[in-house]
Amino acid sequence: MPEGNGAETRRSGRVTLRVPLKIYEEGSNNPFLVEAYSVKVSLWGGLIAFGATVDRDQKLFVFNQATGEIAESQVVYLRPMRLAGGLGLAAIKFLEPSPGFWGVVFPSCSRAQRT
């Protein structure tokens, strides 16, 4: 039976990891560069906290200040709650596989583990 938290659709495990990030957008009329950090990460993206206003489906570039890697991503979910300091939460997915982006090895999330 499907779970209400979306676990049945996850392609990899998640880990709690705080990584300093810079988020920016290219090619728009109002480009921005903001400091951010990860909250939860996976092989395919993550949940990030930052102060800019973004829209669902918006394309962003994420710069990992710890590894120096850059990944193009897309906003897939905006959480209505805000963190202390007014930071918002957005879930992003990477547009291209980026297995080394977070600098960690992810736990497996096979179908057998979910049943």
mmCIF file of all heavy atoms in Angstrom, residues 69-107:
data_model
loop_
_atom_site.group_PDB
_atom_site.id
_atom_site.type_symbol
_atom_site.label_atom_id
_atom_site.label_comp_id
_atom_site.label_asym_id
_atom_site.label_seq_id
_atom_site.Cartn_x
_atom_site.Cartn_y
_atom_site.Cartn_z
ATOM 1 N N GLU A 69 31.457 21.596 -6.595
ATOM 2 C CA GLU A 69 30.649 21.125 -7.723
ATOM 3 C C GLU A 69 29.428 22.002 -7.941
ATOM 4 O O GLU A 69 28.877 22.567 -6.995
ATOM 5 C CB GLU A 69 30.197 19.682 -7.489
ATOM 6 C CG GLU A 69 31.339 18.699 -7.579
ATOM 7 C CD GLU A 69 30.872 17.319 -8.010
ATOM 8 O OE1 GLU A 69 29.911 17.225 -8.799
ATOM 9 O OE2 GLU A 69 31.483 16.353 -7.557
ATOM 10 N N ILE A 70 29.002 22.078 -9.191
ATOM 11 C CA ILE A 70 27.797 22.813 -9.573
ATOM 12 C C ILE A 70 26.853 21.828 -10.246
ATOM 13 O O ILE A 70 27.275 21.019 -11.084
ATOM 14 C CB ILE A 70 28.119 23.964 -10.551
ATOM 15 C CG1 ILE A 70 29.036 24.981 -9.883
ATOM 16 C CG2 ILE A 70 26.835 24.630 -11.050
ATOM 17 C CD1 ILE A 70 29.561 26.053 -10.819
ATOM 18 N N ALA A 71 25.576 21.894 -9.889
ATOM 19 C CA ALA A 71 24.565 21.033 -10.505
ATOM 20 C C ALA A 71 23.368 21.877 -10.905
ATOM 21 O O ALA A 71 22.903 22.707 -10.128
ATOM 22 C CB ALA A 71 24.134 19.929 -9.542
ATOM 23 N N GLU A 72 22.886 21.652 -12.118
ATOM 24 C CA GLU A 72 21.649 22.302 -12.538
ATOM 25 C C GLU A 72 20.491 21.518 -11.940
ATOM 26 O O GLU A 72 20.496 20.285 -11.929
ATOM 27 C CB GLU A 72 21.538 22.333 -14.057
ATOM 28 C CG GLU A 72 20.374 23.176 -14.536
ATOM 29 C CD GLU A 72 20.335 23.359 -16.038
ATOM 30 O OE1 GLU A 72 21.114 22.708 -16.754
ATOM 31 O OE2 GLU A 72 19.503 24.161 -16.487
ATOM 32 N N SER A 73 19.507 22.235 -11.430
ATOM 33 C CA SER A 73 18.405 21.581 -10.741
ATOM 34 C C SER A 73 17.083 22.247 -11.084
ATOM 35 O O SER A 73 17.046 23.293 -11.728
ATOM 36 C CB SER A 73 18.630 21.615 -9.230
ATOM 37 O OG SER A 73 18.592 22.949 -8.773
ATOM 38 N N GLN A 74 16.021 21.630 -10.598
ATOM 39 C CA GLN A 74 14.672 22.155 -10.797
ATOM 40 C C GLN A 74 13.932 22.067 -9.465
ATOM 41 O O GLN A 74 14.029 21.060 -8.757
ATOM 42 C CB GLN A 74 13.946 21.333 -11.848
ATOM 43 C CG GLN A 74 12.548 21.800 -12.141
ATOM 44 C CD GLN A 74 11.905 20.968 -13.235
ATOM 45 O OE1 GLN A 74 12.397 19.930 -13.641
ATOM 46 N NE2 GLN A 74 10.780 21.441 -13.719
ATOM 47 N N VAL A 75 13.188 23.113 -9.140
ATOM 48 C CA VAL A 75 12.384 23.121 -7.928
ATOM 49 C C VAL A 75 11.188 22.203 -8.170
ATOM 50 O O VAL A 75 10.429 22.395 -9.111
ATOM 51 C CB VAL A 75 11.906 24.547 -7.577
ATOM 52 C CG1 VAL A 75 10.994 24.523 -6.357
ATOM 53 C CG2 VAL A 75 13.092 25.474 -7.357
ATOM 54 N N VAL A 76 11.018 21.207 -7.292
ATOM 55 C CA VAL A 76 9.913 20.265 -7.454
ATOM 56 C C VAL A 76 8.859 20.396 -6.362
ATOM 57 O O VAL A 76 7.745 19.904 -6.511
ATOM 58 C CB VAL A 76 10.410 18.799 -7.531
ATOM 59 C CG1 VAL A 76 11.203 18.583 -8.807
ATOM 60 C CG2 VAL A 76 11.209 18.410 -6.312
ATOM 61 N N TYR A 77 9.204 21.066 -5.264
ATOM 62 C CA TYR A 77 8.253 21.210 -4.164
ATOM 63 C C TYR A 77 8.666 22.387 -3.303
ATOM 64 O O TYR A 77 9.850 22.576 -3.035
ATOM 65 C CB TYR A 77 8.228 19.924 -3.329
ATOM 66 C CG TYR A 77 7.279 19.975 -2.154
ATOM 67 C CD1 TYR A 77 5.904 19.895 -2.342
ATOM 68 C CD2 TYR A 77 7.758 20.099 -0.860
ATOM 69 C CE1 TYR A 77 5.027 19.936 -1.258
ATOM 70 C CE2 TYR A 77 6.892 20.133 0.226
ATOM 71 C CZ TYR A 77 5.531 20.057 0.018
ATOM 72 O OH TYR A 77 4.667 20.099 1.074
ATOM 73 N N LEU A 78 7.688 23.175 -2.886
ATOM 74 C CA LEU A 78 7.932 24.284 -1.964
ATOM 75 C C LEU A 78 7.195 23.990 -0.670
ATOM 76 O O LEU A 78 5.994 23.746 -0.682
ATOM 77 C CB LEU A 78 7.430 25.600 -2.566
ATOM 78 C CG LEU A 78 8.122 26.034 -3.848
ATOM 79 C CD1 LEU A 78 7.357 27.179 -4.496
ATOM 80 C CD2 LEU A 78 9.551 26.437 -3.570
ATOM 81 N N ARG A 79 7.909 23.991 0.435
ATOM 82 C CA ARG A 79 7.272 23.735 1.733
ATOM 83 C C ARG A 79 6.715 25.033 2.273
ATOM 84 O O ARG A 79 7.387 26.057 2.254
ATOM 85 C CB ARG A 79 8.282 23.153 2.709
ATOM 86 C CG ARG A 79 8.692 21.758 2.263
ATOM 87 C CD ARG A 79 9.384 21.016 3.299
ATOM 88 N NE ARG A 79 8.448 20.382 4.230
ATOM 89 C CZ ARG A 79 8.863 19.643 5.222
ATOM 90 N NH1 ARG A 79 10.148 19.465 5.431
ATOM 91 N NH2 ARG A 79 8.003 19.079 6.034
ATOM 92 N N PRO A 80 5.487 25.001 2.755
ATOM 93 C CA PRO A 80 4.872 26.228 3.241
ATOM 94 C C PRO A 80 5.503 26.768 4.525
ATOM 95 O O PRO A 80 5.461 27.960 4.767
ATOM 96 C CB PRO A 80 3.413 25.831 3.475
ATOM 97 C CG PRO A 80 3.417 24.352 3.576
ATOM 98 C CD PRO A 80 4.591 23.855 2.785
ATOM 99 N N MET A 81 6.119 25.903 5.339
ATOM 100 C CA MET A 81 6.704 26.382 6.591
ATOM 101 C C MET A 81 8.008 27.131 6.345
ATOM 102 O O MET A 81 8.669 26.932 5.337
ATOM 103 C CB MET A 81 6.958 25.219 7.554
ATOM 104 C CG MET A 81 8.080 24.285 7.110
ATOM 105 S SD MET A 81 8.414 22.990 8.306
ATOM 106 C CE MET A 81 9.640 23.769 9.299
ATOM 107 N N ARG A 82 8.336 28.024 7.252
ATOM 108 C CA ARG A 82 9.578 28.776 7.172
ATOM 109 C C ARG A 82 10.411 28.454 8.398
ATOM 110 O O ARG A 82 9.895 28.209 9.479
ATOM 111 C CB ARG A 82 9.299 30.262 7.084
ATOM 112 C CG ARG A 82 8.423 30.528 5.869
ATOM 113 C CD ARG A 82 8.480 31.797 5.200
ATOM 114 N NE ARG A 82 9.543 32.473 4.606
ATOM 115 C CZ ARG A 82 10.055 32.239 3.408
ATOM 116 N NH1 ARG A 82 9.689 31.199 2.719
ATOM 117 N NH2 ARG A 82 10.948 33.022 2.909
ATOM 118 N N LEU A 83 11.703 28.476 8.222
ATOM 119 C CA LEU A 83 12.623 28.229 9.321
ATOM 120 C C LEU A 83 12.915 29.526 10.056
ATOM 121 O O LEU A 83 12.577 30.612 9.580
ATOM 122 C CB LEU A 83 13.926 27.633 8.785
ATOM 123 C CG LEU A 83 13.805 26.316 8.032
ATOM 124 C CD1 LEU A 83 15.150 25.913 7.457
ATOM 125 C CD2 LEU A 83 13.266 25.225 8.928
ATOM 126 N N ALA A 84 13.579 29.422 11.189
ATOM 127 C CA ALA A 84 14.013 30.608 11.924
ATOM 128 C C ALA A 84 14.829 31.488 10.985
ATOM 129 O O ALA A 84 15.582 30.995 10.155
ATOM 130 C CB ALA A 84 14.846 30.195 13.126
ATOM 131 N N GLY A 85 14.667 32.762 11.087
ATOM 132 C CA GLY A 85 15.378 33.680 10.197
ATOM 133 C C GLY A 85 14.656 33.918 8.885
ATOM 134 O O GLY A 85 15.178 34.585 8.000
ATOM 135 N N GLY A 86 13.452 33.347 8.729
ATOM 136 C CA GLY A 86 12.666 33.583 7.524
ATOM 137 C C GLY A 86 13.067 32.763 6.318
ATOM 138 O O GLY A 86 12.597 33.011 5.218
ATOM 139 N N LEU A 87 13.943 31.768 6.498
ATOM 140 C CA LEU A 87 14.359 30.948 5.364
ATOM 141 C C LEU A 87 13.249 29.995 4.945
ATOM 142 O O LEU A 87 12.591 29.384 5.785
ATOM 143 C CB LEU A 87 15.614 30.149 5.710
ATOM 144 C CG LEU A 87 16.867 30.945 6.033
ATOM 145 C CD1 LEU A 87 18.007 30.000 6.377
ATOM 146 C CD2 LEU A 87 17.250 31.860 4.891
ATOM 147 N N GLY A 88 13.062 29.874 3.645
ATOM 148 C CA GLY A 88 12.090 28.940 3.107
ATOM 149 C C GLY A 88 12.749 27.625 2.755
ATOM 150 O O GLY A 88 13.973 27.520 2.688
ATOM 151 N N LEU A 89 11.927 26.613 2.540
ATOM 152 C CA LEU A 89 12.414 25.287 2.171
ATOM 153 C C LEU A 89 11.914 24.922 0.787
ATOM 154 O O LEU A 89 10.737 25.107 0.479
ATOM 155 C CB LEU A 89 11.928 24.238 3.174
ATOM 156 C CG LEU A 89 12.496 24.331 4.575
ATOM 157 C CD1 LEU A 89 11.722 23.416 5.512
ATOM 158 C CD2 LEU A 89 13.970 23.975 4.580
ATOM 159 N N ALA A 90 12.800 24.400 -0.035
ATOM 160 C CA ALA A 90 12.434 23.953 -1.372
ATOM 161 C C ALA A 90 13.114 22.624 -1.648
ATOM 162 O O ALA A 90 14.291 22.449 -1.332
ATOM 163 C CB ALA A 90 12.851 24.977 -2.420
ATOM 164 N N ALA A 91 12.368 21.701 -2.242
ATOM 165 C CA ALA A 91 12.944 20.443 -2.689
ATOM 166 C C ALA A 91 13.370 20.630 -4.136
ATOM 167 O O ALA A 91 12.633 21.193 -4.948
ATOM 168 C CB ALA A 91 11.931 19.317 -2.565
ATOM 169 N N ILE A 92 14.579 20.162 -4.427
ATOM 170 C CA ILE A 92 15.097 20.254 -5.787
ATOM 171 C C ILE A 92 15.469 18.873 -6.293
ATOM 172 O O ILE A 92 15.767 17.975 -5.518
ATOM 173 C CB ILE A 92 16.351 21.169 -5.871
ATOM 174 C CG1 ILE A 92 17.454 20.639 -4.960
ATOM 175 C CG2 ILE A 92 15.989 22.614 -5.555
ATOM 176 C CD1 ILE A 92 18.827 21.178 -5.269
ATOM 177 N N LYS A 93 15.426 18.712 -7.608
ATOM 178 C CA LYS A 93 15.957 17.500 -8.233
ATOM 179 C C LYS A 93 17.029 17.929 -9.219
ATOM 180 O O LYS A 93 16.926 18.988 -9.850
ATOM 181 C CB LYS A 93 14.871 16.692 -8.923
ATOM 182 C CG LYS A 93 14.339 17.328 -10.198
ATOM 183 C CD LYS A 93 13.373 16.404 -10.911
ATOM 184 C CE LYS A 93 12.880 17.049 -12.200
ATOM 185 N NZ LYS A 93 11.989 16.176 -12.944
ATOM 186 N N PHE A 94 18.063 17.114 -9.312
ATOM 187 C CA PHE A 94 19.120 17.381 -10.272
ATOM 188 C C PHE A 94 18.631 17.026 -11.673
ATOM 189 O O PHE A 94 17.952 16.014 -11.863
ATOM 190 C CB PHE A 94 20.377 16.572 -9.958
ATOM 191 C CG PHE A 94 21.013 16.923 -8.634
ATOM 192 C CD1 PHE A 94 21.447 15.937 -7.786
ATOM 193 C CD2 PHE A 94 21.189 18.244 -8.253
ATOM 194 C CE1 PHE A 94 22.053 16.238 -6.575
ATOM 195 C CE2 PHE A 94 21.780 18.565 -7.043
ATOM 196 C CZ PHE A 94 22.214 17.559 -6.199
ATOM 197 N N LEU A 95 18.993 17.845 -12.669
ATOM 198 C CA LEU A 95 18.585 17.573 -14.046
ATOM 199 C C LEU A 95 19.475 16.530 -14.710
ATOM 200 O O LEU A 95 19.061 15.865 -15.651
ATOM 201 C CB LEU A 95 18.566 18.866 -14.862
ATOM 202 C CG LEU A 95 17.560 19.912 -14.374
ATOM 203 C CD1 LEU A 95 17.555 21.120 -15.291
ATOM 204 C CD2 LEU A 95 16.158 19.326 -14.256
ATOM 205 N N GLU A 96 20.694 16.380 -14.216
ATOM 206 C CA GLU A 96 21.632 15.368 -14.688
ATOM 207 C C GLU A 96 22.122 14.594 -13.470
ATOM 208 O O GLU A 96 22.262 15.173 -12.393
ATOM 209 C CB GLU A 96 22.828 16.016 -15.393
ATOM 210 C CG GLU A 96 22.481 16.772 -16.651
ATOM 211 C CD GLU A 96 22.103 15.858 -17.800
ATOM 212 O OE1 GLU A 96 22.637 14.737 -17.882
ATOM 213 O OE2 GLU A 96 21.259 16.269 -18.615
ATOM 214 N N PRO A 97 22.419 13.308 -13.625
ATOM 215 C CA PRO A 97 22.956 12.562 -12.480
ATOM 216 C C PRO A 97 24.209 13.246 -11.925
ATOM 217 O O PRO A 97 25.076 13.665 -12.679
ATOM 218 C CB PRO A 97 23.302 11.198 -13.078
ATOM 219 C CG PRO A 97 22.428 11.084 -14.288
ATOM 220 C CD PRO A 97 22.285 12.485 -14.816
ATOM 221 N N SER A 98 24.262 13.391 -10.619
ATOM 222 C CA SER A 98 25.385 14.061 -9.952
ATOM 223 C C SER A 98 25.782 13.259 -8.706
ATOM 224 O O SER A 98 25.635 13.730 -7.579
ATOM 225 C CB SER A 98 24.995 15.486 -9.561
ATOM 226 O OG SER A 98 24.643 16.247 -10.679
ATOM 227 N N PRO A 99 26.293 12.038 -8.899
ATOM 228 C CA PRO A 99 26.538 11.156 -7.758
ATOM 229 C C PRO A 99 27.549 11.693 -6.749
ATOM 230 O O PRO A 99 27.466 11.363 -5.577
ATOM 231 C CB PRO A 99 27.033 9.855 -8.392
ATOM 232 C CG PRO A 99 27.424 10.201 -9.774
ATOM 233 C CD PRO A 99 26.640 11.410 -10.165
ATOM 234 N N GLY A 100 28.466 12.539 -7.150
ATOM 235 C CA GLY A 100 29.455 13.054 -6.211
ATOM 236 C C GLY A 100 29.141 14.431 -5.660
ATOM 237 O O GLY A 100 29.934 14.991 -4.911
ATOM 238 N N PHE A 101 27.992 14.979 -6.010
ATOM 239 C CA PHE A 101 27.712 16.365 -5.652
ATOM 240 C C PHE A 101 27.758 16.609 -4.148
ATOM 241 O O PHE A 101 28.336 17.584 -3.685
ATOM 242 C CB PHE A 101 26.345 16.808 -6.202
ATOM 243 C CG PHE A 101 26.041 18.246 -5.912
ATOM 244 C CD1 PHE A 101 26.553 19.241 -6.723
ATOM 245 C CD2 PHE A 101 25.263 18.606 -4.825
ATOM 246 C CE1 PHE A 101 26.297 20.577 -6.451
ATOM 247 C CE2 PHE A 101 25.002 19.941 -4.548
ATOM 248 C CZ PHE A 101 25.524 20.931 -5.365
ATOM 249 N N TRP A 102 27.132 15.751 -3.366
ATOM 250 C CA TRP A 102 27.063 15.966 -1.919
ATOM 251 C C TRP A 102 28.292 15.463 -1.179
ATOM 252 O O TRP A 102 28.473 15.747 -0.009
ATOM 253 C CB TRP A 102 25.813 15.320 -1.334
ATOM 254 C CG TRP A 102 24.541 15.870 -1.895
ATOM 255 C CD1 TRP A 102 23.635 15.205 -2.661
ATOM 256 C CD2 TRP A 102 24.027 17.197 -1.740
ATOM 257 N NE1 TRP A 102 22.587 16.040 -2.998
ATOM 258 C CE2 TRP A 102 22.809 17.269 -2.449
ATOM 259 C CE3 TRP A 102 24.480 18.338 -1.081
ATOM 260 C CZ2 TRP A 102 22.034 18.432 -2.494
ATOM 261 C CZ3 TRP A 102 23.710 19.494 -1.137
ATOM 262 C CH2 TRP A 102 22.508 19.531 -1.840
ATOM 263 N N GLY A 103 29.134 14.676 -1.850
ATOM 264 C CA GLY A 103 30.345 14.166 -1.202
ATOM 265 C C GLY A 103 30.091 13.032 -0.219
ATOM 266 O O GLY A 103 30.887 12.818 0.687
ATOM 267 N N VAL A 104 28.968 12.315 -0.385
ATOM 268 C CA VAL A 104 28.641 11.180 0.484
ATOM 269 C C VAL A 104 28.163 10.000 -0.365
ATOM 270 O O VAL A 104 27.780 10.170 -1.517
ATOM 271 C CB VAL A 104 27.540 11.528 1.518
ATOM 272 C CG1 VAL A 104 27.991 12.600 2.470
ATOM 273 C CG2 VAL A 104 26.253 11.921 0.851
ATOM 274 N N VAL A 105 28.194 8.805 0.243
ATOM 275 C CA VAL A 105 27.640 7.615 -0.387
ATOM 276 C C VAL A 105 26.267 7.393 0.230
ATOM 277 O O VAL A 105 26.122 7.436 1.453
ATOM 278 C CB VAL A 105 28.553 6.388 -0.139
ATOM 279 C CG1 VAL A 105 27.922 5.134 -0.703
ATOM 280 C CG2 VAL A 105 29.922 6.635 -0.738
ATOM 281 N N PHE A 106 25.270 7.166 -0.608
ATOM 282 C CA PHE A 106 23.893 7.063 -0.131
ATOM 283 C C PHE A 106 23.481 5.634 0.147
ATOM 284 O O PHE A 106 23.867 4.729 -0.579
ATOM 285 C CB PHE A 106 22.934 7.689 -1.144
ATOM 286 C CG PHE A 106 23.089 9.165 -1.198
ATOM 287 C CD1 PHE A 106 23.933 9.746 -2.118
ATOM 288 C CD2 PHE A 106 22.439 9.969 -0.287
ATOM 289 C CE1 PHE A 106 24.106 11.115 -2.140
ATOM 290 C CE2 PHE A 106 22.604 11.338 -0.303
ATOM 291 C CZ PHE A 106 23.449 11.905 -1.232
ATOM 292 N N PRO A 107 22.640 5.457 1.184
ATOM 293 C CA PRO A 107 22.112 4.127 1.462
ATOM 294 C C PRO A 107 21.206 3.679 0.324
ATOM 295 O O PRO A 107 20.575 4.502 -0.337
ATOM 296 C CB PRO A 107 21.321 4.309 2.758
ATOM 297 C CG PRO A 107 21.114 5.768 2.911
ATOM 298 C CD PRO A 107 22.167 6.463 2.110
#
